[in-house]
mmCIF file of all heavy atoms in Angstrom:
data_model
loop_
_atom_site.group_PDB
_atom_site.id
_atom_site.type_symbol
_atom_site.label_atom_id
_atom_site.label_comp_id
_atom_site.label_asym_id
_atom_site.label_seq_id
_atom_site.Cartn_x
_atom_site.Cartn_y
_atom_site.Cartn_z
ATOM 1 N N SER A 1 1.358 -4.161 12.088
ATOM 2 C CA SER A 1 2.398 -4.362 11.068
ATOM 3 C C SER A 1 2.206 -3.425 9.889
ATOM 4 O O SER A 1 2.261 -3.838 8.716
ATOM 5 C CB SER A 1 2.400 -5.821 10.588
ATOM 6 O OG SER A 1 2.621 -6.702 11.666
ATOM 7 N N LEU A 2 2.004 -2.174 10.196
ATOM 8 C CA LEU A 2 1.726 -1.183 9.147
ATOM 9 C C LEU A 2 2.950 -0.951 8.274
ATOM 10 O O LEU A 2 4.089 -0.971 8.757
ATOM 11 C CB LEU A 2 1.249 0.113 9.767
ATOM 12 C CG LEU A 2 -0.181 0.064 10.319
ATOM 13 C CD1 LEU A 2 -0.421 1.202 11.296
ATOM 14 C CD2 LEU A 2 -1.186 0.128 9.174
ATOM 15 N N ASN A 3 2.703 -0.751 7.006
ATOM 16 C CA ASN A 3 3.787 -0.404 6.086
ATOM 17 C C ASN A 3 3.385 0.834 5.284
ATOM 18 O O ASN A 3 2.246 1.303 5.358
ATOM 19 C CB ASN A 3 4.125 -1.595 5.194
ATOM 20 C CG ASN A 3 2.952 -2.064 4.371
ATOM 21 O OD1 ASN A 3 2.418 -1.304 3.558
ATOM 22 N ND2 ASN A 3 2.541 -3.307 4.553
ATOM 23 N N VAL A 4 4.328 1.327 4.514
ATOM 24 C CA VAL A 4 4.103 2.609 3.831
ATOM 25 C C VAL A 4 2.944 2.530 2.843
ATOM 26 O O VAL A 4 2.299 3.536 2.536
ATOM 27 C CB VAL A 4 5.389 3.112 3.156
ATOM 28 C CG1 VAL A 4 6.444 3.457 4.192
ATOM 29 C CG2 VAL A 4 5.913 2.094 2.162
ATOM 30 N N ASP A 5 2.666 1.331 2.342
ATOM 31 C CA ASP A 5 1.551 1.169 1.407
ATOM 32 C C ASP A 5 0.185 1.330 2.088
ATOM 33 O O ASP A 5 -0.835 1.428 1.401
ATOM 34 C CB ASP A 5 1.609 -0.198 0.733
ATOM 35 C CG ASP A 5 2.788 -0.320 -0.216
ATOM 36 O OD1 ASP A 5 3.240 0.733 -0.728
ATOM 37 O OD2 ASP A 5 3.257 -1.448 -0.443
ATOM 38 N N ASP A 6 0.181 1.350 3.394
ATOM 39 C CA ASP A 6 -1.070 1.565 4.129
ATOM 40 C C ASP A 6 -1.379 3.042 4.307
ATOM 41 O O ASP A 6 -2.450 3.402 4.814
ATOM 42 C CB ASP A 6 -1.006 0.899 5.502
ATOM 43 C CG ASP A 6 -0.867 -0.606 5.419
ATOM 44 O OD1 ASP A 6 -1.598 -1.216 4.606
ATOM 45 O OD2 ASP A 6 -0.031 -1.175 6.152
ATOM 46 N N THR A 7 -0.456 3.901 3.914
ATOM 47 C CA THR A 7 -0.683 5.346 4.022
ATOM 48 C C THR A 7 -1.833 5.755 3.112
ATOM 49 O O THR A 7 -1.823 5.472 1.912
ATOM 50 C CB THR A 7 0.589 6.124 3.634
ATOM 51 O OG1 THR A 7 1.611 5.845 4.593
ATOM 52 C CG2 THR A 7 0.329 7.613 3.606
ATOM 53 N N ALA A 8 -2.828 6.392 3.694
ATOM 54 C CA ALA A 8 -4.026 6.778 2.945
ATOM 55 C C ALA A 8 -4.964 7.548 3.867
ATOM 56 O O ALA A 8 -4.753 7.590 5.084
ATOM 57 C CB ALA A 8 -4.756 5.537 2.408
ATOM 58 N N VAL A 9 -5.998 8.100 3.279
ATOM 59 C CA VAL A 9 -7.130 8.576 4.063
ATOM 60 C C VAL A 9 -8.097 7.409 4.211
ATOM 61 O O VAL A 9 -8.482 6.793 3.213
ATOM 62 C CB VAL A 9 -7.829 9.777 3.401
ATOM 63 C CG1 VAL A 9 -9.052 10.187 4.218
ATOM 64 C CG2 VAL A 9 -6.863 10.939 3.249
ATOM 65 N N TYR A 10 -8.447 7.114 5.424
ATOM 66 C CA TYR A 10 -9.344 6.001 5.715
ATOM 67 C C TYR A 10 -10.742 6.525 5.997
ATOM 68 O O TYR A 10 -10.924 7.457 6.791
ATOM 69 C CB TYR A 10 -8.821 5.204 6.914
ATOM 70 C CG TYR A 10 -7.662 4.312 6.560
ATOM 71 C CD1 TYR A 10 -6.411 4.853 6.251
ATOM 72 C CD2 TYR A 10 -7.810 2.927 6.507
ATOM 73 C CE1 TYR A 10 -5.346 4.041 5.902
ATOM 74 C CE2 TYR A 10 -6.749 2.105 6.162
ATOM 75 C CZ TYR A 10 -5.517 2.668 5.864
ATOM 76 O OH TYR A 10 -4.467 1.856 5.513
ATOM 77 N N TYR A 11 -11.708 5.900 5.344
ATOM 78 C CA TYR A 11 -13.098 6.311 5.478
ATOM 79 C C TYR A 11 -13.927 5.172 6.067
ATOM 80 O O TYR A 11 -13.789 4.021 5.645
ATOM 81 C CB TYR A 11 -13.695 6.658 4.115
ATOM 82 C CG TYR A 11 -13.056 7.846 3.445
ATOM 83 C CD1 TYR A 11 -11.971 7.691 2.590
ATOM 84 C CD2 TYR A 11 -13.551 9.130 3.650
ATOM 85 C CE1 TYR A 11 -11.385 8.782 1.970
ATOM 86 C CE2 TYR A 11 -12.976 10.234 3.023
ATOM 87 C CZ TYR A 11 -11.889 10.040 2.193
ATOM 88 O OH TYR A 11 -11.323 11.128 1.573
ATOM 89 N N CYS A 12 -14.766 5.523 6.981
ATOM 90 C CA CYS A 12 -15.755 4.588 7.489
ATOM 91 C C CYS A 12 -17.065 4.818 6.735
ATOM 92 O O CYS A 12 -17.404 5.959 6.392
ATOM 93 C CB CYS A 12 -15.965 4.839 8.976
ATOM 94 S SG CYS A 12 -17.255 3.826 9.706
ATOM 95 N N ALA A 13 -17.769 3.740 6.477
ATOM 96 C CA ALA A 13 -19.037 3.845 5.774
ATOM 97 C C ALA A 13 -20.041 2.871 6.383
ATOM 98 O O ALA A 13 -19.649 1.814 6.891
ATOM 99 C CB ALA A 13 -18.848 3.538 4.295
ATOM 100 N N ALA A 14 -21.300 3.249 6.320
ATOM 101 C CA ALA A 14 -22.349 2.414 6.887
ATOM 102 C C ALA A 14 -23.404 2.110 5.836
ATOM 103 O O ALA A 14 -23.730 2.965 5.001
ATOM 104 C CB ALA A 14 -22.998 3.112 8.079
ATOM 105 N N ALA A 15 -23.913 0.910 5.912
ATOM 106 C CA ALA A 15 -24.976 0.492 5.004
ATOM 107 C C ALA A 15 -26.029 -0.267 5.785
ATOM 108 O O ALA A 15 -25.694 -1.084 6.652
ATOM 109 C CB ALA A 15 -24.421 -0.394 3.905
ATOM 110 N N VAL A 16 -27.271 -0.015 5.464
ATOM 111 C CA VAL A 16 -28.349 -0.791 6.053
ATOM 112 C C VAL A 16 -28.340 -2.163 5.407
ATOM 113 O O VAL A 16 -28.386 -2.285 4.177
ATOM 114 C CB VAL A 16 -29.705 -0.105 5.845
ATOM 115 C CG1 VAL A 16 -30.822 -0.968 6.421
ATOM 116 C CG2 VAL A 16 -29.705 1.287 6.472
ATOM 117 N N HIS A 17 -28.258 -3.183 6.241
ATOM 118 C CA HIS A 17 -28.198 -4.541 5.703
ATOM 119 C C HIS A 17 -29.472 -4.874 4.930
ATOM 120 O O HIS A 17 -30.580 -4.570 5.377
ATOM 121 C CB HIS A 17 -28.022 -5.541 6.831
ATOM 122 C CG HIS A 17 -28.084 -6.966 6.376
ATOM 123 N ND1 HIS A 17 -27.210 -7.476 5.441
ATOM 124 C CD2 HIS A 17 -28.934 -7.971 6.690
ATOM 125 C CE1 HIS A 17 -27.506 -8.748 5.224
ATOM 126 N NE2 HIS A 17 -28.560 -9.064 5.973
ATOM 127 N N GLN A 18 -29.285 -5.473 3.775
ATOM 128 C CA GLN A 18 -30.403 -5.893 2.943
ATOM 129 C C GLN A 18 -30.575 -7.398 3.058
ATOM 130 O O GLN A 18 -29.608 -8.151 2.915
ATOM 131 C CB GLN A 18 -30.134 -5.509 1.490
ATOM 132 C CG GLN A 18 -29.898 -4.025 1.289
ATOM 133 C CD GLN A 18 -29.238 -3.746 -0.047
ATOM 134 O OE1 GLN A 18 -29.523 -4.411 -1.039
ATOM 135 N NE2 GLN A 18 -28.336 -2.780 -0.077
ATOM 136 N N MET A 19 -31.790 -7.835 3.306
ATOM 137 C CA MET A 19 -32.071 -9.253 3.480
ATOM 138 C C MET A 19 -31.544 -10.052 2.288
ATOM 139 O O MET A 19 -31.816 -9.707 1.130
ATOM 140 C CB MET A 19 -33.581 -9.459 3.609
ATOM 141 C CG MET A 19 -33.990 -10.854 3.996
ATOM 142 S SD MET A 19 -33.553 -11.240 5.699
ATOM 143 C CE MET A 19 -34.729 -10.200 6.568
ATOM 144 N N GLY A 20 -30.752 -11.064 2.601
ATOM 145 C CA GLY A 20 -30.239 -11.929 1.555
ATOM 146 C C GLY A 20 -28.910 -11.495 0.966
ATOM 147 O O GLY A 20 -28.252 -12.279 0.268
ATOM 148 N N LYS A 21 -28.483 -10.290 1.227
ATOM 149 C CA LYS A 21 -27.198 -9.824 0.683
ATOM 150 C C LYS A 21 -26.064 -10.449 1.468
ATOM 151 O O LYS A 21 -26.067 -10.448 2.689
ATOM 152 C CB LYS A 21 -27.105 -8.303 0.733
ATOM 153 C CG LYS A 21 -25.864 -7.748 0.016
ATOM 154 C CD LYS A 21 -25.914 -6.224 -0.043
ATOM 155 C CE LYS A 21 -24.650 -5.649 -0.664
ATOM 156 N NZ LYS A 21 -24.492 -6.039 -2.058
ATOM 157 N N GLN A 22 -25.069 -10.984 0.768
ATOM 158 C CA GLN A 22 -23.997 -11.756 1.402
ATOM 159 C C GLN A 22 -22.791 -10.887 1.797
ATOM 160 O O GLN A 22 -21.996 -11.295 2.635
ATOM 161 C CB GLN A 22 -23.519 -12.862 0.457
ATOM 162 C CG GLN A 22 -24.607 -13.850 0.079
ATOM 163 C CD GLN A 22 -25.112 -14.627 1.275
ATOM 164 O OE1 GLN A 22 -24.339 -15.213 2.023
ATOM 165 N NE2 GLN A 22 -26.419 -14.618 1.490
ATOM 166 N N TRP A 23 -22.633 -9.752 1.181
ATOM 167 C CA TRP A 23 -21.502 -8.863 1.482
ATOM 168 C C TRP A 23 -20.189 -9.635 1.316
ATOM 169 O O TRP A 23 -19.361 -9.687 2.244
ATOM 170 C CB TRP A 23 -21.627 -8.285 2.891
ATOM 171 C CG TRP A 23 -22.844 -7.445 3.069
ATOM 172 C CD1 TRP A 23 -24.051 -7.850 3.551
ATOM 173 C CD2 TRP A 23 -22.998 -6.059 2.721
ATOM 174 N NE1 TRP A 23 -24.939 -6.802 3.543
ATOM 175 C CE2 TRP A 23 -24.327 -5.693 3.041
ATOM 176 C CE3 TRP A 23 -22.138 -5.093 2.193
ATOM 177 C CZ2 TRP A 23 -24.816 -4.399 2.837
ATOM 178 C CZ3 TRP A 23 -22.623 -3.809 2.002
ATOM 179 C CH2 TRP A 23 -23.940 -3.484 2.319
ATOM 180 N N ARG A 24 -19.977 -10.157 0.109
ATOM 181 C CA ARG A 24 -18.769 -10.915 -0.172
ATOM 182 C C ARG A 24 -17.749 -10.149 -0.990
ATOM 183 O O ARG A 24 -16.701 -10.690 -1.352
ATOM 184 C CB ARG A 24 -19.137 -12.209 -0.901
ATOM 185 C CG ARG A 24 -19.849 -13.208 -0.027
ATOM 186 C CD ARG A 24 -20.213 -14.456 -0.781
ATOM 187 N NE ARG A 24 -20.870 -15.439 0.097
ATOM 188 C CZ ARG A 24 -21.442 -16.543 -0.332
ATOM 189 N NH1 ARG A 24 -21.443 -16.819 -1.627
ATOM 190 N NH2 ARG A 24 -22.021 -17.358 0.519
ATOM 191 N N ARG A 25 -18.096 -8.888 -1.320
ATOM 192 C CA ARG A 25 -17.130 -8.077 -2.042
ATOM 193 C C ARG A 25 -17.317 -6.629 -1.627
ATOM 194 O O ARG A 25 -18.339 -6.251 -1.049
ATOM 195 C CB ARG A 25 -17.317 -8.240 -3.544
ATOM 196 C CG ARG A 25 -18.638 -7.713 -4.061
ATOM 197 C CD ARG A 25 -18.756 -7.899 -5.567
ATOM 198 N NE ARG A 25 -19.982 -7.299 -6.073
ATOM 199 C CZ ARG A 25 -20.072 -6.029 -6.487
ATOM 200 N NH1 ARG A 25 -19.017 -5.253 -6.441
ATOM 201 N NH2 ARG A 25 -21.209 -5.568 -6.934
ATOM 202 N N PHE A 26 -16.318 -5.808 -1.946
ATOM 203 C CA PHE A 26 -16.380 -4.396 -1.610
ATOM 204 C C PHE A 26 -16.956 -3.606 -2.777
ATOM 205 O O PHE A 26 -16.519 -3.764 -3.903
ATOM 206 C CB PHE A 26 -14.982 -3.849 -1.302
ATOM 207 C CG PHE A 26 -14.348 -4.454 -0.089
ATOM 208 C CD1 PHE A 26 -13.343 -5.398 -0.220
ATOM 209 C CD2 PHE A 26 -14.751 -4.065 1.182
ATOM 210 C CE1 PHE A 26 -12.743 -5.955 0.898
ATOM 211 C CE2 PHE A 26 -14.155 -4.618 2.303
ATOM 212 C CZ PHE A 26 -13.153 -5.566 2.163
ATOM 213 N N SER A 27 -17.900 -2.747 -2.455
ATOM 214 C CA SER A 27 -18.375 -1.784 -3.436
ATOM 215 C C SER A 27 -18.787 -0.524 -2.700
ATOM 216 O O SER A 27 -19.663 -0.576 -1.823
ATOM 217 C CB SER A 27 -19.567 -2.315 -4.222
ATOM 218 O OG SER A 27 -20.093 -1.281 -5.040
ATOM 219 N N LYS A 28 -18.185 0.581 -3.068
ATOM 220 C CA LYS A 28 -18.521 1.831 -2.386
ATOM 221 C C LYS A 28 -19.978 2.211 -2.630
ATOM 222 O O LYS A 28 -20.580 2.930 -1.828
ATOM 223 C CB LYS A 28 -17.588 2.951 -2.829
ATOM 224 C CG LYS A 28 -17.614 3.248 -4.317
ATOM 225 C CD LYS A 28 -16.557 4.290 -4.685
ATOM 226 C CE LYS A 28 -16.565 4.571 -6.168
ATOM 227 N NZ LYS A 28 -15.527 5.534 -6.566
ATOM 228 N N TYR A 29 -20.567 1.695 -3.685
ATOM 229 C CA TYR A 29 -21.948 2.050 -4.016
ATOM 230 C C TYR A 29 -22.961 1.351 -3.108
ATOM 231 O O TYR A 29 -24.136 1.696 -3.100
ATOM 232 C CB TYR A 29 -22.225 1.723 -5.481
ATOM 233 C CG TYR A 29 -21.268 2.411 -6.420
ATOM 234 C CD1 TYR A 29 -20.271 1.706 -7.090
ATOM 235 C CD2 TYR A 29 -21.334 3.788 -6.618
ATOM 236 C CE1 TYR A 29 -19.371 2.347 -7.922
ATOM 237 C CE2 TYR A 29 -20.442 4.442 -7.455
ATOM 238 C CZ TYR A 29 -19.462 3.708 -8.092
ATOM 239 O OH TYR A 29 -18.572 4.346 -8.921
#
């Protein structure tokens, strides 16, 4: 159900999981 607002460059990113981190929000850092 793509719409025009989805137009963008999409980036994949990887992070080594840190013990105890919940990953409940997005942060590029």
Side-chain angles (χ1 to χ4, degrees):
S1 301
L2 287 162
N3 59 61
V4 294
D5 291 334
D6 297 315
T7 295
V9 177
Y10 283 70
Y11 296 90
C12 176
V16 178
H17 174 59
Q18 302 163 36
M19 189 70 71
K21 187 173 176 64
Q22 300 296 308
W23 298 94
R24 290 179 178 171
R25 65 180 184 90
F26 295 104
S27 173
K28 59 185 179 182
Y29 303 108

